[in-house]
């Protein structure tokens, strides 16, 4: 292996909080050589971003404190340099891109101006900076670079903004590029493009690339080596293929085991009567058509997945179905009644039958209500379900069913982890004894292992309560393990639907095929094969 | 972090009042603020009844008597005013009117303003358009001018002053409430309640109002001092509280000509205004923390540490 370019040795960082010091990372060491891609893999709270923040001098001291360790860049310890010297290195020699590009681009300046500024502040003459900016934009694949340089950040899509961030980071030809969850907020197809771009740029410039991610798929796609972190410590490191094929540490084994898309496919879709029938549902926002005539049915006891990229109309379908938004036209027949033509009284009664679990449990639970209040609210609204005397008992029972403890009832949502909060949200939905639960990206905000647990729970509850699910997701592997049937949506239309095996193994539409090809497999070998296929296609 | 909070959360339930008291004790500043406000409140209720005679008795030999001089009796410890009336007694008696005007105006403005703001923020109909315009109308009119006109036509009684001051302060609450409601109503937990079929009343009172109440209360405490001073400028113009009735604001303005020779005439009532506002502010700050389950641990830690 080549001489390391950037090396972190025995780094420990402590954060001083009101509850006393918390050690965010302990004795972390890693190194990255020129032309190498290193991934730091970890779940939320594992401390995976902390060492990179230390490299970039982004840790606020106080409350953070680097208690021990060295960060060696080209033979010099960055922690011993003066603030001015570090500023020389940060951004210029070591650049960083973030998860959310919009918050890192200034909305009131054109993107061309912002890239130029990065160049001129580091000493490039103005006219040269102009030319360089255009060529950078071209390099990162922004169409029509000269016109684009005069546009503002909001005029670009999410993927293009990430490209702009990359252009800005590359402006000064850094030796090391640190990418903190660069593709987490993006659609799968865009994610694949951005990763390909990073890889290509890295080949061209020979820089070292450090990727921080929670996604095994990203590691498999791009990384040479991987460092696995858990609870502030490195539990395992090695080449990506080696770690995947032969994990040593129990944590890594669990993590790889929890990766979705590996389980058995549901092959026996229930052959029951459809309970919900959507016919030609349209939704317009002004001139914009979010839904262009969607029709599908949901059978009793079935899990129907709706997949698609952002803007495909999958969430709008859910919102219209639950009457959070009014459809422009169409019908939704439920037990012979049109959901869209109910009187307020009928709508109120129907609410009991169709419930929803939202994407982000942090936001879908009222922070000022206890778990008991949150769950029992269902019966306060629909008093006919349960007499008040039995509320306490039933809340305890529901908490047990979703895998929480009865004594949790008097705590507030913020006292739980993300996965536990989603369980509370599920308990709340169950309190109304619904027939159908719509899960809108219900597991996308959760870590892989927690995701697997919540899906297992949903599967278990389906049989226990005789539920039917409409499961909306952008993540295809999750759907593969869980759904009976899949609907693929694009730009407000259903492009393909069928049993899960057909969709995954014999997709008919190009769009579905692209979507499947772009989703990342946690196995580096599978990804390498796919990459080779892609390349051969491009050559052809 | 999450784990730590969980383990620290008290599992046993104590009686409501004692819990609140211990939370209040955890924040010493807020505790003393509460004690001070309690004293002011007692003065406001009992003062006029006990000390009215003393406060209005003139004693020309004690004109502008300096403070901290016990030779003229305990009531003169803060000095005498331009007619030789004891300042301490006057302060205590004035607390009654001051509190009535300030608390009355603030509460009225808060009640009307936030109700209108809630309606404007929550309804999607014509009201949502009309109500903010109403706030614009009130705001575009100089508040003092409005007060002068109204009080010129009506007679300047305590009730009318409260009404006028309340009207001029309504837009603040209306706009803040509306803005907050517009934000909170789009939150996911409000939608979750809608999906469960919660009626509008429940959504507003259980989900939206508790979220915006701390903001409104904070504005109200700041407004308290504003209203006290506004009332004094009305008194200065001769259309506010009329002597021999007194308020702190009126005392400040009455003492103004003597500032160079007898500072204490304006200083003591001024201090009373400042301390009251400060106390209210500290208390509302404490309340914001104590009412928020995600913040309450700060006080709970303190309570445990200090006993």
């Amino acid at each position: 292996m080549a001489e390391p370019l950037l090396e972190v040795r025995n780094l420990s960082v402590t954060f001083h909080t009101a509850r006393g010091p918390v050690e965010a990372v302990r004795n972390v060491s890693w190194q990255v050589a020129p032309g190498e891609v290193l991934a730091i893999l970890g779940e939320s709270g594992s401390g995976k971003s902390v060492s990179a923040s230390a490299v970039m001098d982004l840790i606020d001291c106080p409350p953070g404190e680097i208690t021990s360790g060295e960060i060696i860049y080209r033979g010099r310890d960055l922690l011993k340099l003066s603030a001015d010297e570090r500023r020389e290195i940060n951004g210029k020699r070591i650049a960083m891109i973030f998860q959310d590009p919009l918050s890192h681009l200034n909305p009131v300046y054109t993107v061309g101006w912002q890239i130029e500024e990065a160049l001129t502040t580091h000493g490039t003459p103005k006219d040269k900076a102009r030319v360089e900016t255009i060529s950078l934009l071209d390099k990162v694949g922004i169409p029509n670079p000269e016109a684009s340089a005069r546009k503002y950040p909001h005029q670009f899509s999410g993927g293009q903004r990430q490209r702009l961030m990359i252009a800005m980071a590359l402006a000064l030809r850094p030796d090391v590029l640190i990418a903190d969850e660069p593709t987490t907020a993006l659609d799968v197809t865009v994610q694949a493009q951005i990763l390909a771009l990073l890889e290509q740029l890295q080949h061209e410039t020979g820089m070292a690339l450090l990727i921080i991610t929670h996604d095994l798929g990203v590691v498999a796609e791009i990384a040479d080596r991987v460092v696995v972190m858990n609870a502030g410590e490195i539990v395992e490191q090695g080449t990506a293929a080696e770690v995947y094929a032969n994990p040593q540490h129990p944590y890594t084994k669990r993590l790889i085991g929890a990766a979705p898309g590996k389980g058995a496919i549901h092959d026996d879709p229930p052959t029951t009567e459809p309970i919900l029938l959507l016919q030609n549902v349209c939704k317009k926002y002004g001139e914009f058509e979010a839904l262009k005539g969607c029709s599908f049915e949901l059978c009793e006891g079935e899990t129907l997945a709706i997949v698609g990229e952002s803007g495909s109309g999958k969430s709008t379908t859910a919102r219209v179905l639950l009457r959070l938004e009014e459809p422009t036209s169409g019908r939704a027949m439920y037990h012979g009644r049109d959901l869209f033509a109910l009187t307020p009284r009928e709508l109120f009664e129907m609410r009991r039958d169709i419930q929803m679990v939202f994407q982000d449990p942090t936001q879908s639970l009222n922070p000022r209500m206890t778990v008991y209040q949150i769950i029992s609210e269902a019966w306060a609204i629909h008093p006919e379900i349960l007499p008040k005397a039995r509320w306490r008992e039933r809340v305890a029972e529901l908490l047990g069913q979703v895998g929480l403890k009865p004594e949790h009832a008097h705590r507030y949502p913020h006292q739980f982890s993300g996965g536990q909060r989603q369980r509370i949200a599920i308990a709340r939905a169950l309190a109304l004894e619904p027939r159908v639960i719509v899960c809108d990206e219900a597991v996308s905000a959760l870590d892989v292992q927690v995701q697997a647990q919540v899906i297992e729970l949903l599967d278990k509850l389906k049989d226990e309560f005789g539920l039917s699910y409409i499961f909306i997701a952008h993540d295809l592997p999750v759907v593969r393990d869980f759904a009976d049937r899949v609907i693929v949506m694009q730009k407000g239309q259903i492009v393909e639907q069928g049993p899960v095996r057909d969709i995954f193994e014999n997709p008919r539409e190009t769009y579905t095929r692209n979507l499947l090809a772009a989703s990342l497999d946690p196995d580096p070998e599978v990804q390498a094969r796919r990459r080779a296929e892609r390349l051969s296609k491009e050559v052809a | 972090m999450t784990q730590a909070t969980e383990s620290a959360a008290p599992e046993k339930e104590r009686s409501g009042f004692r819990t609140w008291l211990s939370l209040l004790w955890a924040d010493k500043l807020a505790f003393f603020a509460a004690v001070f406000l309690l004293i002011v409140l007692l003065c406001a209720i009992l003062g006029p009844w006990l000390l009215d005679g003393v406060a209005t008795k003139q004693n020309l030999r004690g004109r502008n008597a300096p403070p901290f001089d016990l030779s003229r009796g305990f009531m003169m410890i803060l000095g005498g005013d331009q007619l030789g009336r004891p300042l301490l007694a006057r302060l205590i008696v004035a607390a009654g009117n001051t509190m009535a005007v300030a608390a009355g105006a603030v509460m009225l403005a808060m009640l009307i303003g936030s109700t209108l703001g809630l309606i404007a923020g929550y309804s999607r109909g014509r009201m949502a358009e009309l109500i903010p315009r109403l706030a614009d109308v009130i705001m575009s009119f100089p508040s003092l001018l409005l007060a002068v006109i109204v009080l010129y036509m009506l007679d300047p009684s305590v009730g009318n002053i409260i009404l006028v001051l309340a009207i001029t302060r309504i837009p603040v609450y209306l706009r803040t409430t509306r803005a907050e409601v517009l934000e909170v109503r789009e939150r996911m937990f409000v939608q979750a309640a809608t999906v469960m079929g919660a009626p509008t009343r429940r959504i507003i009172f259980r989900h939206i109002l508790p979220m915006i109440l701390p903001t409104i209360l904070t504005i109200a405490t700041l407004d308290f001092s504003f209203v006290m001073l506004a009332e004094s400028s009305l008194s200065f113009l001769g259309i506010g509280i009329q002597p021999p009735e007194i308020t702190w604001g009126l005392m400040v303005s009455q003492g103004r000509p003597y500032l160079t020779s007898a500072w204490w005439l304006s200083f003591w009532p001024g201090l009373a205004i400042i301390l009251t506002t400060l106390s209210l502010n500290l208390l509302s700050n404490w309340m914001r923390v104590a009412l928020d389950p995600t913040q309450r641990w700060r006080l709970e830690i303190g309570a445990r540490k200090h006993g």
Side-chain angles (χ1 to χ4, degrees):
Chain A
M1 193 168 61
E3 189 74 356
L5 186 61
L6 177 69
E7 185 176 2
V8 169
R9 280 188 204 151
N10 300 328
L11 185 77
S12 296
V13 178
T14 302
F15 284 93
H16 295 278
T17 68
R19 301 185 158 269
V22 175
E23 242 186 357
V25 292
R26 268 183 310 278
N27 265 333
V28 164
S29 309
W30 48 258
Q31 44 179 284
V32 58
E36 189 188 32
V37 184
L38 174 72
I40 300 184
L41 176 72
E43 300 188 313
S44 50
S46 63
K48 60 183 186 293
S49 297
V50 175
S51 48
S53 303
V55 171
M56 294 304 284
D57 199 14
L58 290 175
I59 294 178
D60 290 325
C61 308
E65 190 192 342
I66 296 169
T67 45
S68 73
E70 300 173 307
I71 298 172
I72 314 281
Y73 170 72
R74 288 191 186 277
R76 291 203 289 173
D77 185 357
L78 292 183
L79 297 176
K80 294 205 176 74
L81 298 184
S82 71
D84 280 334
E85 286 173 304
R86 290 201 74 168
R87 221 168 293 138
E88 257 321 285
I89 291 175
N90 287 348
K92 201 169 178 181
R93 310 289 7 127
I94 308 176
M96 188 159 179
I97 57 175
F98 300 89
Q99 174 176 346
D100 177 15
L102 192 55
S103 57
H104 291 92
L105 289 167
N106 191 328
V108 300
Y109 293 109
T110 62
V111 295
W113 188 91
Q114 293 183 55
I115 298 173
E116 263 177 69
E117 198 216 10
L119 286 163
T120 47
T121 47
H122 285 277
T124 317
K126 195 127 191 138
D127 48 334
K128 218 177 139 206
R130 170 107 244 162
V131 179
E132 185 119 10
T133 301
I134 308 284
S135 84
L136 272 167
L137 288 178
D138 192 32
K139 211 173 182 181
V140 297
I142 297 280
N144 204 351
E146 287 193 36
S148 297
R150 286 192 296 273
K151 286 190 188 166
Y152 292 88
H154 72 269
Q155 292 170 294
F156 293 90
S157 69
Q160 284 177 324
R161 279 183 211 136
Q162 196 56 281
R163 285 169 191 268
L164 292 170
M165 283 298 294
I166 295 172
M168 210 180 281
L170 291 183
L172 298 158
R173 302 174 197 285
D175 299 331
V176 183
L177 180 65
I178 301 176
D180 191 353
E181 300 269 12
T183 57
T184 307
L186 305 174
D187 281 326
V188 272
T189 47
V190 185
Q191 161 168 293
Q193 290 162 11
I194 294 285
L195 290 178
L197 171 70
L198 280 173
E199 211 170 349
Q200 175 210 336
L201 290 170
Q202 192 236 4
H203 276 301
E204 280 173 30
T205 58
M207 62 183 175
L209 183 58
L210 174 67
I211 290 218
I212 299 164
T213 183
H214 69 280
D215 191 344
L216 275 165
V218 172
V219 175
E221 166 70 16
I222 196 169
D224 299 319
R225 281 193 309 121
V226 59
V227 167
V228 185
M229 288 197 68
N230 178 33
E233 280 175 341
I234 293 182
V235 294
E236 185 152 1
Q237 52 181 318
T239 66
E242 206 177 272
V243 169
Y244 182 79
N246 191 14
Q248 297 301 317
H249 194 274
Y251 175 79
T252 324
K253 284 182 191 159
R254 274 207 307 278
L255 198 66
I256 291 171
K262 296 279 154 213
I265 284 186
H266 290 214
D267 256 332
D268 46 343
T271 46
T272 42
E273 288 293 294
I275 52 170
L276 186 66
L277 198 68
L278 263 73
Q279 292 170 335
N280 228 351
V281 179
C282 292
K283 172 72 187 167
K284 280 187 195 168
Y285 296 99
E287 285 302 295
F288 176 71
E289 283 180 285
L291 283 182
K292 301 172 193 162
C294 283
S295 309
F296 64 85
E297 54 186 47
L298 175 73
C299 298
E300 181 136 34
E302 182 186 43
T303 302
L304 176 68
I306 304 181
V307 296
E309 306 193 291
S310 48
S312 61
K314 55 191 195 304
S315 285
T316 312
T317 312
R319 297 179 60 83
V320 164
L321 185 60
L322 284 153
R323 297 283 299 266
L324 283 168
E325 311 220 8
E326 294 305 313
T328 314
S329 66
R331 293 204 303 170
M333 303 307 289
Y334 174 74
H335 283 311
R337 281 192 300 177
D338 183 3
L339 292 180
F340 299 155
L342 297 176
T343 64
R345 184 73 229 167
E346 286 169 331
L347 178 65
F348 176 72
E349 279 163 16
M350 183 277 288
R351 293 273 189 217
R352 270 193 63 179
D353 282 10
I354 306 183
Q355 273 303 298
M356 183 153 176
V357 176
F358 292 84
Q359 169 170 10
D360 185 354
T362 315
Q363 287 175 32
S364 70
L365 303 174
N366 189 332
R368 282 164 192 265
M369 286 163 85
T370 61
V371 172
Y372 172 76
Q373 287 171 322
I374 287 169
I375 295 176
S376 64
E377 184 170 33
W379 308 314
I381 297 168
H382 297 269
E384 74 281 2
I385 299 179
L386 203 67
K388 190 157 185 181
R390 290 201 48 224
W391 285 11
R392 203 161 286 276
E393 183 192 330
R394 182 82 181 114
V395 167
E397 203 180 323
L398 276 168
L399 284 175
Q401 274 161 333
V402 297
L404 294 170
K405 297 201 186 85
E407 60 262 32
H408 286 154
H410 293 285
R411 295 199 184 155
Y412 289 92
H414 73 272
Q415 293 171 313
F416 296 90
S417 68
Q420 287 174 317
R421 277 180 218 155
Q422 198 59 295
R423 286 167 192 264
I424 298 170
I426 293 170
R428 169 175 65 185
L430 289 176
L432 284 172
E433 296 162 13
R435 311 299 311 151
V436 179
I437 295 185
V438 179
C439 303
D440 187 4
E441 302 272 12
V443 296
S444 348
L446 306 174
D447 281 325
V448 214
Q449 292 192 55
V450 183
Q451 203 172 40
Q453 289 162 8
V454 171
I455 286 188
E456 201 177 301
L457 171 69
L458 286 172
D459 225 6
K460 184 190 91 169
L461 295 171
K462 187 171 100 168
D463 300 335
E464 253 169 63
F465 290 80
L467 300 166
S468 313
Y469 291 126
I470 295 180
F471 190 83
I472 294 168
H474 67 277
D475 193 3
L476 287 158
V478 174
V479 167
R480 182 184 173 278
D481 294 355
F482 180 51
D484 296 312
R485 264 186 330 122
V486 180
I487 288 178
V488 183
M489 287 189 75
Q490 184 195 19
K491 292 182 181 151
Q493 274 171 323
I494 295 178
V495 291
E496 185 164 0
Q497 56 177 310
V500 68
R501 188 178 287 281
D502 287 6
I503 296 283
F504 275 83
E505 290 177 1
N506 277 316
R508 275 176 291 122
E509 299 294 319
T510 333
Y511 180 73
T512 317
R513 250 176 271 156
N514 288 344
L515 215 55
L516 281 168
S519 75
L520 299 175
D521 194 280
D523 188 341
E525 278 178 34
V526 174
Q527 273 310 124
R529 209 161 50 233
R530 284 192 193 163
R531 216 161 37 220
E533 272 171 37
R534 244 193 343 256
L535 281 175
S536 64
K537 233 183 265 170
E538 270 166 34
V539 172
Chain B
M1 184 72 213
T2 316
Q3 292 307 318
T5 325
E6 269 181 51
S7 60
E11 290 294 340
K12 58 174 191 238
E13 287 175 79
R14 278 180 290 180
S15 69
F17 180 69
R18 284 205 43 184
T19 316
W20 284 108
L21 210 60
S22 80
L23 285 181
L24 187 57
W25 179 244
D27 185 348
K28 294 290 175 297
L29 278 174
F31 180 79
F32 288 116
V35 170
F36 179 79
L37 288 175
L38 212 63
I39 295 172
V40 171
L41 203 66
L42 281 177
C43 289
I45 295 165
L46 302 175
W49 176 58
L50 287 175
L51 291 168
D52 210 17
V54 189
T56 47
K57 207 174 107 205
Q58 298 183 11
N59 172 13
L60 291 180
R61 237 185 285 170
R63 288 180 65 216
N64 294 350
F68 312 119
D69 179 6
L70 283 173
S71 63
R72 291 168 204 278
F74 178 72
M75 275 299 155
M76 296 291 267
I77 186 154
L78 297 182
D81 73 352
Q82 67 275 32
L83 295 173
R85 293 172 294 197
L87 277 174
L88 179 61
R90 285 178 70 73
L91 269 182
I92 293 173
V93 174
N97 271 333
T98 314
M99 286 298 125
V101 171
V106 168
M107 298 243 225
L108 199 64
M110 186 166 80
L111 211 65
I112 299 175
S114 28
T115 310
L116 288 176
L118 269 172
I119 298 171
Y122 196 77
S123 74
R124 292 198 192 265
R126 281 173 67 87
M127 281 312 208
E129 304 280 322
L130 280 175
I131 292 174
R133 296 294 86 75
L134 176 74
D136 293 346
V137 170
I138 298 178
M139 283 189 91
S140 60
F141 213 81
S143 57
L144 207 58
L145 187 62
L146 182 78
V148 169
I149 295 170
V150 172
L151 291 175
Y152 182 76
M153 291 191 297
L154 304 172
D155 86 283
S157 66
V158 172
N160 285 336
I161 290 169
I162 290 177
L163 197 67
V164 166
L165 289 174
I167 289 172
T168 60
R169 300 310 294 163
I170 283 175
V172 183
Y173 298 96
L174 200 159
R175 292 187 148 196
T176 324
T177 312
R178 177 172 169 270
E180 289 254 318
V181 170
L182 284 177
E183 191 256 323
V184 174
R185 63 175 291 178
E186 295 303 325
R187 297 241 195 127
M188 218 85 97
F189 61 81
V190 175
Q191 295 184 6
T194 315
V195 169
M196 285 199 283
T200 312
R201 185 168 31 92
R202 186 176 185 89
I203 289 177
I204 288 181
F205 288 106
R206 288 304 296 273
H207 294 283
I208 295 183
L209 205 56
M211 301 299 289
I212 60 175
L213 203 61
T215 319
I216 299 178
L217 283 179
T218 309
I219 301 176
T221 58
L222 294 175
D223 239 19
F224 219 81
S225 61
F226 181 92
V227 167
M228 280 193 231
L229 294 174
E231 170 263 315
S232 79
S233 39
L234 287 180
S235 305
F236 181 73
L237 291 172
I239 50 174
I241 298 285
Q242 303 297 316
E245 291 286 316
I246 36 173
T247 64
W248 290 342
L250 188 60
M251 285 171 76
V252 172
S253 63
Q254 278 179 348
R256 211 154 49 174
Y258 304 94
L259 263 185
T260 44
S261 54
W263 51 267
W264 52 91
L265 260 60
S266 293
F267 177 78
W268 295 120
L271 189 69
I273 292 177
I274 291 171
L275 284 180
T276 311
T277 326
L278 191 69
S279 303
L280 278 167
N281 215 328
L282 287 171
L283 203 63
S284 84
N285 215 359
W286 167 81
M287 203 141 62
R288 186 176 52 76
V289 177
L291 285 178
D292 187 346
T294 52
Q295 301 280 325
R296 199 177 295 156
W297 59 270
R298 295 173 195 277
L299 296 172
E300 280 166 353
I301 288 180
R304 208 161 304 128
K305 217 180 281 169
H306 299 292

